[in-house]
Amino acid sequence: MSPWSLISPASRGIGFALARRVLQTTNAPVVATARKDPDKTKADLLEGLDIDEKRLEVLKLDVLDERSIEDAAASCKKLFHASDDHLQLAFIVPGILFPEKSPAQIKADDALLTFRTNTLGPMLMLKHFSPFLPRKSASVTQAANYMEGLPSVATTAVMSARVGSIGDNRLGGWYSYRASKAGVNQIVKTFDNHLRTASGENAMAVALHPGTVKTGLSQDFWSSVKEEKLFDRDWVAERLFNVIKQVGVEGRGKCWDWDGKEVPP
């Protein structure tokens, strides 16, 4: 089977770092997505990398627009149309945050946008890209050259957050963001249950918690985070990629942090 990878979105932040990490440490084709200007995103992703540029395809995709997700999936079907092509690694990482500190700060439009981006967006990605995952009946014999650096089990990883854990919630606040990420954890578990039937041990799903990363999403909170707990995006990308390869099928359906520790539901 011929594997490929998907990182969506990959124009900035953790997604950008993950895409470059996959390009640098694997040999398989990579599909990245950007909400706008895919040509610029491709140039940025390739800058300074000594790789075959033909390995990277950047597609336009907006998780708020299902038609764009459907179109991107159709493009991938044209790119990877052989019977043994399959999606070996997917990072689905859209995110937006409105930090409501009290109920009085909740705004319906902001909350709706949070759920559409953080929760419904990944759900629609699973809808349109899950057909690319290997089925239970698929042969596990794979081209060693293309599998180098990739997880041995086809893995779909969706970005969650520790604040999405109900059991770990001791501070409150961030109502819409917390709820949207709790929803992500439920979606991942439900999708993994589907994969247990459809793919057996050929495919699995997990959620990821990256910690507080120096990206635009968290910029307003950098001053309140201890320096040793504020992570560089490239470092986090390396850690998350390693976690993906280490947890194995025993860790499927769960949320894992950057240090390989399980985040409770």
Side-chain angles (χ1 to χ4, degrees):
M1 301 180 75
S2 301
W4 56 281
S5 297
L6 169 72
I7 300 92
S8 180
S11 55
R12 57 191 177 90
I14 297 176
F16 181 87
L18 284 168
R20 283 177 61 90
R21 185 72 189 173
V22 175
L23 285 167
Q24 288 174 291
T25 60
T26 74
N27 296 317
V30 174
V31 174
T33 76
R35 187 167 56 87
K36 57 183 179 180
D37 205 348
D39 290 339
K40 181 180 184 303
T41 296
K42 183 171 184 176
D44 291 344
L45 287 171
L46 291 172
E47 185 177 0
L49 300 186
D50 183 19
I51 65 167
D52 183 356
E53 296 183 6
K54 294 179 180 178
R55 285 181 51 211
L56 175 63
E57 186 79 22
V58 180
L59 303 175
K60 193 172 184 179
L61 186 154
D62 183 351
V63 295
L64 300 179
D65 178 4
E66 185 176 3
R67 176 60 65 85
S68 77
I69 300 175
E70 187 176 11
D71 289 346
S75 296
C76 288
K77 191 171 183 179
K78 293 178 181 178
L79 289 169
F80 309 105
H81 55 271
S83 59
D84 60 350
D85 288 342
H86 72 284
L87 180 57
Q88 185 68 18
L89 174 63
F91 284 107
I92 301 174
V93 298
I96 193 171
L97 167 63
F98 296 99
E100 313 100 336
K101 295 181 180 179
S102 73
Q105 293 180 321
I106 298 172
K107 297 179 181 179
D109 289 344
D110 290 348
L112 182 59
L113 180 58
T114 299
F115 277 94
R116 290 186 63 204
T117 304
N118 297 354
T119 315
L120 182 58
M123 196 186 322
L124 293 175
M125 291 290 292
L126 298 179
K127 171 184 175 181
H128 290 286
F129 282 91
S130 60
F132 295 105
L133 296 170
R135 306 290 291 182
K136 183 184 291 186
S137 59
S139 169
V140 296
T141 303
Q142 299 166 326
N145 181 53
Y146 287 113
M147 278 297 294
E148 182 180 350
L150 291 171
S152 58
V153 178
T155 303
T156 299
V158 184
M159 195 64 72
S160 184
R162 187 177 299 279
V163 295
S165 167
I166 296 174
D168 192 59
N169 184 357
R170 298 177 178 84
L171 296 176
W174 296 26
Y175 290 85
S176 57
Y177 187 75
R178 283 185 185 275
S180 71
K181 292 302 187 179
V184 165
N185 294 341
Q186 182 66 279
I187 290 167
V188 167
K189 178 61 177 178
T190 303
F191 181 58
D192 187 71
N193 285 341
H194 163 74
L195 291 180
R196 288 174 184 268
T197 300
S199 301
E201 294 193 355
N202 285 334
M204 56 180 267
V206 295
L208 295 174
H209 165 60
T212 304
V213 187
K214 292 180 181 179
T215 66
L217 182 74
S218 65
Q219 189 168 2
D220 291 343
F221 318 109
W222 292 357
S223 61
S224 62
V225 179
K226 294 180 180 179
E227 183 63 29
E228 65 271 17
K229 293 294 185 179
L230 186 58
F231 304 140
D232 175 78
R233 67 180 184 180
D234 293 326
W235 183 85
V236 166
E238 178 181 1
R239 296 301 295 261
L240 292 179
F241 198 9
N242 289 339
V243 168
I244 285 291
K245 292 184 287 185
Q246 291 169 3
V247 295
V249 290
E250 297 81 6
R252 65 188 306 164
K254 300 177 181 179
C255 182
W256 299 93
D257 75 4
W258 55 270
D259 202 25
K261 298 176 181 176
E262 182 182 354
V263 177

